[in-house]
Amino acid sequence: SLITQPSLPVIEPPTSSRWVVTAVEKAESDVEFKRIDTDFDGLVGGVECRGEFLKSGLSNVDLATIWNLVDVKSSGKLNAEEFALARFLITQRRVGMALPTQLDADMIPPSMRPKPTVESTDAAADYLARISNILAMADFTSPDVEALAKEVEGMVREKQDLEAQVNKLLDEVNAAKGQEAEVRSSIEETRINGHKLEAQRDELQSKLNSPDSTRSDLEAKFKEAELGYQLAENLRDETMNVGDVEISNDEIDSAQQELDRLTS
């Protein structure tokens, strides 16, 4: 019997796994994101982003367009990837690039993309499976046809193995990119903390130096007080000497009176 070969479906090219935001840009964005995420919930809203976005100098229309583009889930808040994409689009717009009407495939944040897989029901695998089924149902006794059927089945299995390998490699690549971005973010955060520690060290050194001047002031005040105490002691001694003189004069007057009495 005549076998009609099924038409070959159009095979769509695989979606690119590349992201327009580089690892360096993502790391820099993460530092700013952590700074404005004051409630540490991993999301930033319009109020938190306002200051950062307005510094760009773009019009409110452009900023609103960028927000609507990057707020993929229309939640009214941005995660770290959406925030990084917003910074990327702001930079593009500032150099005169037109904003897209919708996000290109390579603009969609990696965590929000469908898992990159080569589906077993895609055009190529479906075509091979249909050929295999047709050959299996046909009543052929030719060794060549049987060999062809086995070859097709082998191709299907090989395709499935390749799918698994591709998926594994894509997962490893995405994991490596994520780790690289985290390392760069940690390095930048460490650098910032280093500057803070240097400032604290200088402040502490200033405080450590200040007691010397305070001690000098206290020593001067102590010497001044000691001199005042000495003057007070001298004054008391002089007063006591005056008192002794007064007592001696009384004794003289008393003796004079007694002498006058005896001689009268």
Side-chain angles (χ1 to χ4, degrees), residues 159-177:
K159 185 66 165 63
Q160 292 172 345
D161 292 340
L162 288 174
E163 289 175 6
Q165 293 178 16
V166 169
N167 290 335
K168 182 179 179 181
L169 288 174
L170 289 174
D171 289 340
E172 291 176 354
V173 169
N174 289 333
K177 287 183 178 179

Side-chain angles (χ1 to χ4, degrees), residues 137-152:
M137 290 185 295
D139 184 16
F140 290 121
T141 57
S142 171
D144 292 338
V145 174
E146 291 179 0
L148 178 60
K150 291 181 179 179
E151 183 179 353
V152 170

Side-chain angles (χ1 to χ4, degrees), residues 220-263:
K221 289 180 180 180
F222 177 78
K223 290 180 179 179
E224 181 180 353
E226 188 178 37
L227 178 60
Y229 175 78
Q230 187 63 45
L231 291 174
E233 283 289 308
N234 293 339
L235 180 60
R236 185 178 64 83
D237 292 343
E238 291 178 1
T239 302
M240 291 180 63
N241 292 335
V242 171
D244 292 342
V245 172
E246 290 177 352
I247 292 173
S248 298
N249 289 336
D250 288 340
E251 291 176 350
I252 294 173
D253 292 338
S254 178
Q256 183 65 45
Q257 291 176 2
E258 182 65 21
L259 180 61
D260 292 341
R261 187 183 65 81
L262 293 173
T263 56

Side-chain angles (χ1 to χ4, degrees), residues 3-249:
I3 300 175
T4 303
Q5 182 180 10
S7 60
L8 181 65
V10 176
I11 301 176
E12 295 293 336
T15 302
S16 173
S17 61
R18 186 182 68 87
W19 193 27
V20 292
V21 179
T22 66
V24 174
E25 291 170 338
K26 178 61 165 59
E28 293 174 349
S29 176
D30 285 345
V31 174
E32 183 62 23
F33 182 85
K34 291 179 181 179
R35 186 185 69 82
I36 65 176
D37 182 19
T38 54
D39 55 2
F40 307 105
D41 63 349
L43 298 170
V44 291
V47 175
E48 293 166 301
C49 296
R50 177 180 175 82
E52 175 67 15
F53 286 4
L54 288 179
K55 288 192 300 185
S56 66
L58 297 182
S59 67
N60 290 335
V61 174
D62 283 340
L63 293 177
T65 300
I66 291 172
W67 181 276
N68 290 332
L69 284 169
V70 302
D71 187 8
V72 178
K73 296 182 178 179
S74 300
S75 62
K77 291 190 175 183
L78 308 181
N79 63 18
E81 287 182 335
E82 292 171 318
F83 181 75
L85 180 60
R87 285 168 54 100
F88 170 82
L89 292 176
I90 286 173
T91 301
Q92 294 291 302
R93 185 58 179 152
R94 290 184 65 186
V95 297
M97 300 288 290
L99 293 173
T101 56
Q102 62 182 14
L103 294 181
D104 297 332
D106 59 353
M107 290 183 177
I108 299 175
S111 66
M112 298 181 178
R113 299 178 185 179
K115 187 175 181 181
T117 60
V118 183
E119 300 294 340
S120 60
T121 56
D122 70 344
D126 182 61
Y127 178 71
L128 293 174
R130 288 164 63 185
I131 291 293
S132 179
N133 290 336
I134 290 173
L135 293 174
M137 290 185 295
D139 184 16
F140 290 121
T141 57
S142 171
D144 292 338
V145 174
E146 291 179 0
L148 178 60
K150 291 181 179 179
E151 183 179 353
V152 170
E153 290 176 358
M155 292 173 65
V156 172
R157 287 194 298 269
E158 183 179 357
K159 185 66 165 63
Q160 292 172 345
D161 292 340
L162 288 174
E163 289 175 6
Q165 293 178 16
V166 169
N167 290 335
K168 182 179 179 181
L169 288 174
L170 289 174
D171 289 340
E172 291 176 354
V173 169
N174 289 333
K177 287 183 178 179
Q179 292 175 356
E180 180 185 5
E182 290 178 1
V183 170
R184 291 183 180 273
S185 177
S186 298
I187 291 174
E188 180 64 17
E189 188 173 354
T190 301
R191 185 183 66 81
I192 293 175
N193 290 335
H195 291 324
K196 291 181 180 179
L197 289 174
E198 289 179 0
Q200 292 175 357
R201 183 198 62 190
D202 294 340
E203 182 180 358
L204 180 59
Q205 186 64 46
S206 176
K207 289 181 179 180
L208 290 174
N209 292 335
S210 63
D212 291 338
S213 58
T214 301
R215 184 178 61 190
S216 299
D217 293 340
L218 289 175
E219 289 177 350
K221 289 180 180 180
F222 177 78
K223 290 180 179 179
E224 181 180 353
E226 188 178 37
L227 178 60
Y229 175 78
Q230 187 63 45
L231 291 174
E233 283 289 308
N234 293 339
L235 180 60
R236 185 178 64 83
D237 292 343
E238 291 178 1
T239 302
M240 291 180 63
N241 292 335
V242 171
D244 292 342
V245 172
E246 290 177 352
I247 292 173
S248 298
N249 289 336

